[in-house]
PDB file of all heavy atoms in Angstrom:
ATOM      1  N   LEU A1015      89.954 119.941  56.970  1.00 72.00           N
ATOM      2  CA  LEU A1015      90.768 118.807  57.393  1.00 72.00           C
ATOM      3  C   LEU A1015      91.549 119.121  58.662  1.00 72.00           C
ATOM      4  O   LEU A1015      91.649 118.284  59.574  1.00 72.00           O
ATOM      5  CB  LEU A1015      91.728 118.428  56.259  1.00 72.00           C
ATOM      6  CG  LEU A1015      92.569 117.174  56.474  1.00 72.00           C
ATOM      7  CD1 LEU A1015      91.673 115.954  56.610  1.00 72.00           C
ATOM      8  CD2 LEU A1015      93.551 116.993  55.326  1.00 72.00           C
ATOM      9  N   VAL A1016      92.120 120.327  58.743  1.00 70.00           N
ATOM     10  CA  VAL A1016      92.872 120.710  59.939  1.00 70.00           C
ATOM     11  C   VAL A1016      91.969 120.739  61.165  1.00 70.00           C
ATOM     12  O   VAL A1016      92.359 120.294  62.251  1.00 70.00           O
ATOM     13  CB  VAL A1016      93.552 122.080  59.717  1.00 70.00           C
ATOM     14  CG1 VAL A1016      94.093 122.640  61.031  1.00 70.00           C
ATOM     15  CG2 VAL A1016      94.684 121.959  58.707  1.00 70.00           C
ATOM     16  N   THR A1017      90.751 121.249  61.001  1.00 72.00           N
ATOM     17  CA  THR A1017      89.800 121.278  62.124  1.00 72.00           C
ATOM     18  C   THR A1017      89.503 119.877  62.630  1.00 72.00           C
ATOM     19  O   THR A1017      89.489 119.611  63.841  1.00 72.00           O
ATOM     20  CB  THR A1017      88.503 121.972  61.688  1.00 72.00           C
ATOM     21  OG1 THR A1017      88.802 123.288  61.213  1.00 72.00           O
ATOM     22  CG2 THR A1017      87.533 122.070  62.851  1.00 72.00           C
ATOM     23  N   SER A1018      89.272 118.939  61.687  1.00 71.00           N
ATOM     24  CA  SER A1018      89.001 117.553  62.075  1.00 71.00           C
ATOM     25  C   SER A1018      90.219 116.920  62.724  1.00 71.00           C
ATOM     26  O   SER A1018      90.104 116.169  63.696  1.00 71.00           O
ATOM     27  CB  SER A1018      88.583 116.741  60.845  1.00 71.00           C
ATOM     28  OG  SER A1018      87.455 117.308  60.228  1.00 71.00           O
ATOM     29  N   LEU A1019      91.405 117.232  62.200  1.00 70.00           N
ATOM     30  CA  LEU A1019      92.632 116.680  62.763  1.00 70.00           C
ATOM     31  C   LEU A1019      92.860 117.170  64.185  1.00 70.00           C
ATOM     32  O   LEU A1019      93.304 116.409  65.053  1.00 70.00           O
ATOM     33  CB  LEU A1019      93.815 117.057  61.884  1.00 70.00           C
ATOM     34  CG  LEU A1019      95.202 116.600  62.368  1.00 70.00           C
ATOM     35  CD1 LEU A1019      95.264 115.091  62.435  1.00 70.00           C
ATOM     36  CD2 LEU A1019      96.294 117.139  61.459  1.00 70.00           C
ATOM     37  N   VAL A1020      92.555 118.430  64.445  1.00 68.00           N
ATOM     38  CA  VAL A1020      92.697 118.969  65.800  1.00 68.00           C
ATOM     39  C   VAL A1020      91.816 118.195  66.775  1.00 68.00           C
ATOM     40  O   VAL A1020      92.260 117.777  67.853  1.00 68.00           O
ATOM     41  CB  VAL A1020      92.348 120.471  65.816  1.00 68.00           C
ATOM     42  CG1 VAL A1020      92.205 120.965  67.245  1.00 68.00           C
ATOM     43  CG2 VAL A1020      93.418 121.280  65.093  1.00 68.00           C
ATOM     44  N   ALA A1021      90.564 117.961  66.390  1.00 70.00           N
ATOM     45  CA  ALA A1021      89.642 117.237  67.267  1.00 70.00           C
ATOM     46  C   ALA A1021      90.127 115.809  67.518  1.00 70.00           C
ATOM     47  O   ALA A1021      90.133 115.321  68.660  1.00 70.00           O
ATOM     48  CB  ALA A1021      88.242 117.224  66.650  1.00 70.00           C
ATOM     49  N   GLU A1022      90.546 115.109  66.452  1.00 72.00           N
ATOM     50  CA  GLU A1022      91.012 113.730  66.598  1.00 72.00           C
ATOM     51  C   GLU A1022      92.316 113.667  67.398  1.00 72.00           C
ATOM     52  O   GLU A1022      92.500 112.778  68.231  1.00 72.00           O
ATOM     53  CB  GLU A1022      91.216 113.114  65.213  1.00 72.00           C
ATOM     54  CG  GLU A1022      89.947 112.901  64.415  1.00 72.00           C
ATOM     55  CD  GLU A1022      89.182 111.675  64.860  1.00 72.00           C
ATOM     56  OE1 GLU A1022      89.768 110.825  65.556  1.00 72.00           O
ATOM     57  OE2 GLU A1022      87.986 111.563  64.512  1.00 72.00           O
ATOM     58  N   GLY A1023      93.232 114.611  67.139  1.00 68.00           N
ATOM     59  CA  GLY A1023      94.505 114.617  67.849  1.00 68.00           C
ATOM     60  C   GLY A1023      94.339 114.868  69.339  1.00 68.00           C
ATOM     61  O   GLY A1023      94.982 114.222  70.159  1.00 68.00           O
ATOM     62  N   VAL A1024      93.466 115.790  69.684  1.00 68.00           N
ATOM     63  CA  VAL A1024      93.206 116.071  71.099  1.00 68.00           C
ATOM     64  C   VAL A1024      92.591 114.854  71.779  1.00 68.00           C
ATOM     65  O   VAL A1024      92.950 114.496  72.911  1.00 68.00           O
ATOM     66  CB  VAL A1024      92.286 117.296  71.235  1.00 68.00           C
ATOM     67  CG1 VAL A1024      91.809 117.459  72.669  1.00 68.00           C
ATOM     68  CG2 VAL A1024      93.011 118.553  70.785  1.00 68.00           C
ATOM     69  N   ALA A1025      91.655 114.176  71.090  1.00 71.00           N
ATOM     70  CA  ALA A1025      91.016 112.990  71.671  1.00 71.00           C
ATOM     71  C   ALA A1025      92.043 111.881  71.913  1.00 71.00           C
ATOM     72  O   ALA A1025      92.041 111.231  72.974  1.00 71.00           O
ATOM     73  CB  ALA A1025      89.909 112.502  70.744  1.00 71.00           C
ATOM     74  N   LEU A1026      92.944 111.642  70.942  1.00 70.00           N
ATOM     75  CA  LEU A1026      93.973 110.617  71.110  1.00 70.00           C
ATOM     76  C   LEU A1026      94.917 110.971  72.256  1.00 70.00           C
ATOM     77  O   LEU A1026      95.268 110.111  73.074  1.00 70.00           O
ATOM     78  CB  LEU A1026      94.752 110.463  69.803  1.00 70.00           C
ATOM     79  CG  LEU A1026      95.915 109.468  69.832  1.00 70.00           C
ATOM     80  CD1 LEU A1026      95.410 108.057  70.059  1.00 70.00           C
ATOM     81  CD2 LEU A1026      96.718 109.541  68.537  1.00 70.00           C
ATOM     82  N   TYR A1027      95.313 112.219  72.325  1.00 67.00           N
ATOM     83  CA  TYR A1027      96.215 112.669  73.390  1.00 67.00           C
ATOM     84  C   TYR A1027      95.576 112.459  74.770  1.00 67.00           C
ATOM     85  O   TYR A1027      96.228 111.984  75.707  1.00 67.00           O
ATOM     86  CB  TYR A1027      96.555 114.139  73.151  1.00 67.00           C
ATOM     87  CG  TYR A1027      97.453 114.750  74.193  1.00 67.00           C
ATOM     88  CD1 TYR A1027      98.784 114.360  74.303  1.00 67.00           C
ATOM     89  CD2 TYR A1027      96.982 115.730  75.062  1.00 67.00           C
ATOM     90  CE1 TYR A1027      99.618 114.929  75.252  1.00 67.00           C
ATOM     91  CE2 TYR A1027      97.809 116.301  76.007  1.00 67.00           C
ATOM     92  CZ  TYR A1027      99.127 115.899  76.095  1.00 67.00           C
ATOM     93  OH  TYR A1027      99.943 116.455  77.034  1.00 67.00           O
ATOM     94  N   GLN A1028      94.313 112.783  74.885  1.00 70.00           N
ATOM     95  CA  GLN A1028      93.612 112.606  76.163  1.00 70.00           C
ATOM     96  C   GLN A1028      93.458 111.135  76.527  1.00 70.00           C
ATOM     97  O   GLN A1028      93.560 110.763  77.700  1.00 70.00           O
ATOM     98  CB  GLN A1028      92.248 113.291  76.093  1.00 70.00           C
ATOM     99  CG  GLN A1028      92.328 114.814  76.027  1.00 70.00           C
ATOM    100  CD  GLN A1028      90.984 115.473  75.830  1.00 70.00           C
ATOM    101  OE1 GLN A1028      90.002 114.810  75.463  1.00 70.00           O
ATOM    102  NE2 GLN A1028      90.919 116.784  76.051  1.00 70.00           N
ATOM    103  N   GLN A1029      93.231 110.273  75.521  1.00 69.00           N
ATOM    104  CA  GLN A1029      93.106 108.839  75.804  1.00 69.00           C
ATOM    105  C   GLN A1029      94.421 108.246  76.286  1.00 69.00           C
ATOM    106  O   GLN A1029      94.431 107.380  77.174  1.00 69.00           O
ATOM    107  CB  GLN A1029      92.629 108.101  74.545  1.00 69.00           C
ATOM    108  CG  GLN A1029      91.162 108.361  74.207  1.00 69.00           C
ATOM    109  CD  GLN A1029      90.755 107.700  72.904  1.00 69.00           C
ATOM    110  OE1 GLN A1029      91.607 107.407  72.062  1.00 69.00           O
ATOM    111  NE2 GLN A1029      89.473 107.468  72.725  1.00 69.00           N
ATOM    112  N   ILE A1030      95.526 108.707  75.738  1.00 67.00           N
ATOM    113  CA  ILE A1030      96.825 108.214  76.201  1.00 67.00           C
ATOM    114  C   ILE A1030      97.126 108.723  77.607  1.00 67.00           C
ATOM    115  O   ILE A1030      97.619 107.982  78.460  1.00 67.00           O
ATOM    116  CB  ILE A1030      97.930 108.644  75.212  1.00 67.00           C
ATOM    117  CG1 ILE A1030      97.765 107.914  73.882  1.00 67.00           C
ATOM    118  CG2 ILE A1030      99.316 108.384  75.782  1.00 67.00           C
ATOM    119  CD1 ILE A1030      98.745 108.339  72.826  1.00 67.00           C
ATOM    120  N   GLN A1031      96.796 109.981  77.879  1.00 67.00           N
ATOM    121  CA  GLN A1031      97.035 110.543  79.200  1.00 67.00           C
ATOM    122  C   GLN A1031      96.199 109.847  80.262  1.00 67.00           C
ATOM    123  O   GLN A1031      96.653 109.645  81.397  1.00 67.00           O
ATOM    124  CB  GLN A1031      96.712 112.043  79.192  1.00 67.00           C
ATOM    125  CG  GLN A1031      97.687 112.888  78.370  1.00 67.00           C
ATOM    126  CD  GLN A1031      99.073 112.924  78.971  1.00 67.00           C
ATOM    127  OE1 GLN A1031      99.953 112.164  78.557  1.00 67.00           O
ATOM    128  NE2 GLN A1031      99.292 113.784  79.944  1.00 67.00           N
ATOM    129  N   SER A1032      94.967 109.488  79.920  1.00 70.00           N
ATOM    130  CA  SER A1032      94.077 108.834  80.885  1.00 70.00           C
ATOM    131  C   SER A1032      94.327 107.337  81.015  1.00 70.00           C
ATOM    132  O   SER A1032      93.786 106.692  81.914  1.00 70.00           O
ATOM    133  CB  SER A1032      92.622 109.062  80.482  1.00 70.00           C
ATOM    134  OG  SER A1032      92.342 108.460  79.228  1.00 70.00           O
ATOM    135  N   GLY A1033      95.127 106.774  80.132  1.00 65.00           N
ATOM    136  CA  GLY A1033      95.421 105.343  80.198  1.00 65.00           C
ATOM    137  C   GLY A1033      94.462 104.473  79.438  1.00 65.00           C
ATOM    138  O   GLY A1033      94.563 103.233  79.513  1.00 65.00           O
ATOM    139  N   GLU A1034      93.529 105.045  78.698  1.00 68.00           N
ATOM    140  CA  GLU A1034      92.617 104.227  77.895  1.00 68.00           C
ATOM    141  C   GLU A1034      93.354 103.490  76.788  1.00 68.00           C
ATOM    142  O   GLU A1034      92.984 102.375  76.408  1.00 68.00           O
ATOM    143  CB  GLU A1034      91.520 105.104  77.283  1.00 68.00           C
ATOM    144  CG  GLU A1034      90.573 105.735  78.293  1.00 68.00           C
ATOM    145  CD  GLU A1034      89.505 106.567  77.613  1.00 68.00           C
ATOM    146  OE1 GLU A1034      88.987 106.105  76.574  1.00 68.00           O
ATOM    147  OE2 GLU A1034      89.204 107.668  78.096  1.00 68.00           O
ATOM    148  N   ILE A1035      94.382 104.108  76.245  1.00 65.00           N
ATOM    149  CA  ILE A1035      95.196 103.481  75.207  1.00 65.00           C
ATOM    150  C   ILE A1035      96.545 103.151  75.815  1.00 65.00           C
ATOM    151  O   ILE A1035      97.245 104.026  76.328  1.00 65.00           O
ATOM    152  CB  ILE A1035      95.368 104.423  73.996  1.00 65.00           C
ATOM    153  CG1 ILE A1035      94.020 104.676  73.332  1.00 65.00           C
ATOM    154  CG2 ILE A1035      96.356 103.835  72.989  1.00 65.00           C
ATOM    155  CD1 ILE A1035      94.082 105.603  72.146  1.00 65.00           C
ATOM    156  N   ARG A1036      96.915 101.840  75.760  1.00 67.00           N
ATOM    157  CA  ARG A1036      98.182 101.373  76.319  1.00 67.00           C
ATOM    158  C   ARG A1036      98.965 100.661  75.223  1.00 67.00           C
ATOM    159  O   ARG A1036      98.718  99.479  74.952  1.00 67.00           O
ATOM    160  CB  ARG A1036      97.935 100.430  77.498  1.00 67.00           C
ATOM    161  CG  ARG A1036      97.176 101.076  78.664  1.00 67.00           C
ATOM    162  CD  ARG A1036      97.001 100.089  79.808  1.00 67.00           C
ATOM    163  NE  ARG A1036      96.313 100.683  80.927  1.00 67.00           N
ATOM    164  CZ  ARG A1036      94.987 100.663  81.085  1.00 67.00           C
ATOM    165  NH1 ARG A1036      94.231 100.088  80.151  1.00 67.00           N
ATOM    166  NH2 ARG A1036      94.427 101.222  82.142  1.00 67.00           N
ATOM    167  N   PRO A1037      99.877 101.350  74.592  1.00 63.00           N
ATOM    168  CA  PRO A1037     100.619 100.737  73.485  1.00 63.00           C
ATOM    169  C   PRO A1037     101.384  99.484  73.895  1.00 63.00           C
ATOM    170  O   PRO A1037     101.527  98.554  73.101  1.00 63.00           O
ATOM    171  CB  PRO A1037     101.575 101.849  73.042  1.00 63.00           C
ATOM    172  CG  PRO A1037     100.961 103.108  73.538  1.00 63.00           C
ATOM    173  CD  PRO A1037     100.246 102.757  74.793  1.00 63.00           C
ATOM    174  N   GLY A1038     101.886  99.449  75.137  1.00 63.00           N
ATOM    175  CA  GLY A1038     102.641  98.284  75.579  1.00 63.00           C
ATOM    176  C   GLY A1038     101.812  97.015  75.546  1.00 63.00           C
ATOM    177  O   GLY A1038     102.320  95.935  75.193  1.00 63.00           O
ATOM    178  N   GLU A1039     100.532  97.108  75.904  1.00 67.00           N
ATOM    179  CA  GLU A1039      99.667  95.935  75.883  1.00 67.00           C
ATOM    180  C   GLU A1039      99.464  95.437  74.455  1.00 67.00           C
ATOM    181  O   GLU A1039      99.383  94.223  74.218  1.00 67.00           O
ATOM    182  CB  GLU A1039      98.313  96.270  76.516  1.00 67.00           C
ATOM    183  CG  GLU A1039      98.401  96.566  78.010  1.00 67.00           C
ATOM    184  CD  GLU A1039      97.030  96.830  78.612  1.00 67.00           C
ATOM    185  OE1 GLU A1039      96.033  96.739  77.852  1.00 67.00           O
ATOM    186  OE2 GLU A1039      96.955  97.112  79.829  1.00 67.00           O
ATOM    187  N   TYR A1040      99.371  96.341  73.506  1.00 66.00           N
ATOM    188  CA  TYR A1040      99.206  95.934  72.109  1.00 66.00           C
ATOM    189  C   TYR A1040     100.428  95.157  71.631  1.00 66.00           C
ATOM    190  O   TYR A1040     100.304  94.125  70.957  1.00 66.00           O
ATOM    191  CB  TYR A1040      98.996  97.168  71.219  1.00 66.00           C
ATOM    192  CG  TYR A1040      97.800  98.011  71.599  1.00 66.00           C
ATOM    193  CD1 TYR A1040      97.789  99.371  71.363  1.00 66.00           C
ATOM    194  CD2 TYR A1040      96.684  97.436  72.215  1.00 66.00           C
ATOM    195  CE1 TYR A1040      96.706 100.161  71.711  1.00 66.00           C
ATOM    196  CE2 TYR A1040      95.598  98.212  72.577  1.00 66.00           C
ATOM    197  CZ  TYR A1040      95.608  99.573  72.321  1.00 66.00           C
ATOM    198  OH  TYR A1040      94.526 100.337  72.679  1.00 66.00           O
ATOM    199  N   ILE A1041     101.617  95.625  72.004  1.00 67.00           N
ATOM    200  CA  ILE A1041     102.846  94.938  71.593  1.00 67.00           C
ATOM    201  C   ILE A1041     102.945  93.575  72.272  1.00 67.00           C
ATOM    202  O   ILE A1041     103.364  92.586  71.656  1.00 67.00           O
ATOM    203  CB  ILE A1041     104.073  95.810  71.913  1.00 67.00           C
ATOM    204  CG1 ILE A1041     104.012  97.114  71.117  1.00 67.00           C
ATOM    205  CG2 ILE A1041     105.366  95.068  71.594  1.00 67.00           C
ATOM    206  CD1 ILE A1041     105.119  98.086  71.429  1.00 67.00           C
ATOM    207  N   ASP A1042     102.537  93.492  73.534  1.00 67.00           N
ATOM    208  CA  ASP A1042     102.573  92.206  74.247  1.00 67.00           C
ATOM    209  C   ASP A1042     101.622  91.205  73.599  1.00 67.00           C
ATOM    210  O   ASP A1042     101.946  90.010  73.498  1.00 67.00           O
ATOM    211  CB  ASP A1042     102.195  92.409  75.720  1.00 67.00           C
ATOM    212  CG  ASP A1042     103.270  93.161  76.491  1.00 67.00           C
ATOM    213  OD1 ASP A1042     104.436  93.144  76.043  1.00 67.00           O
ATOM    214  OD2 ASP A1042     102.941  93.791  77.513  1.00 67.00           O
TER     215      ASP A1042
END
């Protein structure tokens, strides 16, 4: 589970850094 979490967490972090995920747009 920790191994899978590391992979998913890194992917989410990279998507936020690159701008693929924009939380502000979701709230709008």
Side-chain angles (χ1 to χ4, degrees):
L1015 186 62
V1016 168
T1017 303
S1018 302
L1019 178 62
V1020 168
E1022 292 282 343
V1024 170
L1026 177 65
Y1027 179 69
Q1028 292 175 345
Q1029 288 176 338
I1030 292 176
Q1031 291 293 97
S1032 63
E1034 294 181 42
I1035 296 179
R1036 299 181 179 90
E1039 293 183 2
Y1040 302 150
I1041 297 176
D1042 290 337

